[in-house]
Amino acid sequence: MLIDGYGREVNYLRISVTERCNFRCQYCMPEKPFSWVPKENLLTFEELFLFVKVAIDGGVTKIRLTGGEPLLREDLDTFIAMIHTYKPDVDLALTTNAFLLSEAAQILKDAGLKRLNISLDSLKADVAAKIAGKDVLGRVLEGIDKALEVGFKVKINMVPLKGINDDEILDIMAYCQERHMKVRFIEYMENTHADQALKGMHGREILDRVKEKYTIKTLGREGASPSFNYLIEETGYEFGLIDPHKHDFCESCNRIRLTAEGYLIPCLYFDEAMSIAESVKKGDIQGAANVLAQVLREKPKENRWSEEEFEQREISKRAFYETGG
Ligand code: SAM
Ligand code: SF4
C-alpha cells in the first residue's frame, strides 16, 4: 500500500503520455506553447511501463492515461495492452477530447481500456470552436457515439465558463442523460497558461443553474473521487461537480501524476516534481521506487485554489496540458 505523509492512501496514477494537443482550449492551452518538449525527452512506453509496474506492485489499482491529447501519441494501444496484460484488474481509463476517437475506440477497447472520460464543453458548433480554437463539434460527437457503440462506459467533463457556455449546463446534462453518461461539471482552475480573461463558474453557481429547473439532492463524495455527486429528484439522474476550490477537496486525495518526460507530480496545483527518467532509462527499479517514496512523503496537504472571490485567488503555474488535468 502506498501512503503519503498525511496518511492518505495513494492508489491512483494519472499518466500524461504527451503534452501535445490538437485543440487550443482557452482554459488550458490557448496558444501553442513556446516550445514543446523535444520528442527525444519523452519516455518510451517501455520506460513508462517500468514505473507503472513499480506503482502497481506498490498498490496502485487505477491508472488514467491523459495529456495533452493522449490519442496523438502513436501506438497508445500497445501501452494499454502492456498494462492490461500485466494486471488485468487494474481500472484502466483514458481522458480524451474525442476528436480522434471514432477511429480509435474499437482498438482501445480491444487493447484492454475499460473507461473513457470525454471533454464536451458545448453542443453548439460555434461555441465549441471558440473554446477549442477550431471546428471540432462534429467529430467529437461522432467519437462519443462510437465509444458508446463499442461498449465503453463514458463520463463527460464540462468546464462552464461565464458568458461562453454557462447557458448550456442543462442542455449538456440532458444530452448525457439520454445516452446514460454521467456528466461532471469542473470548476475552472485558474492557471497562468490559460486565457486570463476567462471567468469560471463556482460550484455554487453551477448548482444554482441546475436548481432553476430541478430539485437536487446531495449525495456526497464517492470514496476518494474528486467528484461531489448530486441526484436530480425529478428524473433520477446523477451528476457530479469537481470543485477543487472547496476546502475539503484534498482531504481524500489518492492520486499522483506522471508526465511524458518522467516527472512525478504530487499535486496538480504546485510546480514541484521529481524525475524518474534517469532511473527508468537505466532499468533501475529500486531507484524509481525511491523517487516514488520521496514524492509520497512530500505530497502537499492541499492545493491553493480557494473559495475566495476569483480576483483574490492564487493562480497555479502548472500547465494542465503537461500534467493531464
Ligand atoms: N485532452 C484531453 C481532454 O481535454 O479531455 C485530456 C487532457 S485535459 C488537460 C484533461 C481535463 O482537464 C479535461 O477534461 C479539461 O476540460 C480539463 N481542464 C483543462 N484545463 C482546465 C482548467 N484550467 N480548469 C479546469 N479543467 C481543466
Ligand atoms: Fe487539449 Fe485537453 Fe487542454 Fe483542450 S483541455 S487544450 S483538448 S489538453
Side-chain angles (χ1 to χ4, degrees):
M1 197 184 279
L2 302 171
I3 304 285
D4 78 1
Y6 292 94
R8 295 171 293 197
E9 183 183 349
V10 172
N11 55 17
Y12 180 12
L13 172 66
R14 296 176 65 105
I15 307 174
S16 170
V17 291
T18 177
E19 62 171 355
R20 291 168 196 247
C21 192
N22 42 3
F23 286 15
R24 292 286 173 272
C25 299
Q26 293 184 32
Y27 47 70
C28 178
M29 193 196 318
E31 305 290 335
K32 178 180 174 296
F34 180 64
S35 62
W36 293 116
V37 170
K39 276 216 166 116
E40 60 272 19
N41 289 12
L42 295 186
L43 294 186
T44 63
F45 284 143
E46 285 68 26
E47 289 160 351
L48 287 171
F49 184 56
L50 188 136
F51 181 76
V52 165
K53 285 191 285 186
V54 168
I56 291 178
D57 294 348
V60 161
T61 55
K62 177 173 174 182
I63 296 179
R64 175 172 300 279
L65 307 179
T66 174
E69 175 44 43
L71 298 185
L72 288 179
R73 178 102 188 223
E74 251 170 70
D75 300 326
L76 187 68
D77 57 308
T78 310
F79 186 46
I80 290 170
M82 285 158 92
I83 301 172
H84 178 66
T85 307
Y86 185 67
K87 194 104 188 339
D89 61 349
V90 162
D91 181 9
L92 192 49
L94 176 89
T95 302
T96 173
N97 62 31
F99 194 77
L100 300 171
L101 190 57
S102 62
E103 297 87 345
Q106 187 67 60
I107 299 167
L108 299 173
K109 186 95 176 68
D110 295 344
L113 188 72
K114 298 197 170 106
R115 295 187 300 111
L116 279 169
N117 284 7
I118 298 178
S119 303
L120 177 71
D121 292 320
S122 176
L123 291 167
K124 296 178 190 164
D126 57 332
V127 178
K130 183 174 177 191
I131 296 173
K134 71 176 190 190
D135 181 20
V136 297
L137 187 65
R139 289 188 62 119
V140 169
L141 296 182
E142 252 175 62
I144 294 173
D145 288 343
K146 189 68 185 180
L148 293 171
E149 190 189 309
V150 305
F152 274 117
K153 198 166 173 245
V154 176
K155 284 184 191 161
I156 296 293
N157 291 339
M158 176 195 188
V159 180
L161 300 166
K162 284 185 180 161
I164 300 179
N165 63 348
D166 56 341
D167 57 341
E168 291 193 66
I169 289 173
L170 291 173
D171 293 344
I172 295 227
M173 196 181 252
Y175 167 87
C176 291
Q177 181 169 9
E178 266 169 35
R179 289 161 184 77
H180 307 289
M181 304 183 294
K182 180 171 180 178
V183 62
R184 284 118 41 96
F185 300 108
I186 307 180
E187 283 179 341
Y188 165 58
M189 289 171 251
E190 299 78 10
N191 67 92
T192 53
H193 306 267
D195 178 341
Q196 297 304 307
L198 288 184
K199 292 260 181 278
M201 282 180 83
H202 194 281
R204 273 190 310 271
E205 297 171 306
I206 298 172
L207 292 179
D208 284 345
R209 283 296 163 86
V210 181
K211 285 184 201 161
E212 284 170 13
K213 184 161 179 195
Y214 296 115
T215 318
I216 56 178
K217 184 176 157 194
T218 303
L219 297 176
R221 243 181 252 294
E222 196 184 292
S225 164
S227 171
F228 200 98
N229 294 330
Y230 297 88
L231 179 81
I232 307 254
E233 295 202 342
E234 289 84 348
T235 62
Y237 180 69
E238 209 180 289
F239 70 96
L241 183 67
I242 298 186
D243 49 1
H245 296 88
K246 214 162 176 211
H247 64 86
D248 71 344
F249 184 80
C250 306
E251 275 171 16
S252 56
C253 182
N254 64 343
R255 61 204 62 197
I256 44 168
R257 294 171 163 84
L258 180 64
T259 72
E261 272 183 290
Y263 286 105
L264 203 50
I265 297 169
C267 173
L268 185 58
Y269 182 95
F270 294 95
D271 240 4
E272 281 77 12
M274 283 186 74
S275 180
I276 54 145
E278 206 186 309
S279 308
V280 296
K281 279 178 201 284
K282 288 191 301 207
D284 175 7
I285 293 172
Q286 191 51 49
N290 292 345
V291 175
L292 173 59
Q294 187 169 344
V295 165
L296 288 173
R297 271 197 303 276
E298 292 172 6
K299 185 169 159 64
K301 187 165 179 237
E302 55 199 6
N303 70 42
R304 275 202 203 130
W305 285 295
S306 79
E307 290 195 90
E308 305 302 318
E309 286 307 305
F310 277 96
E311 284 66 26
Q312 294 158 27
R313 285 181 184 168
E314 291 204 44
I315 292 195
S316 170
K317 292 192 193 61
R318 190 148 277 299
F320 279 69
Y321 56 84
E322 260 171 22
T323 18

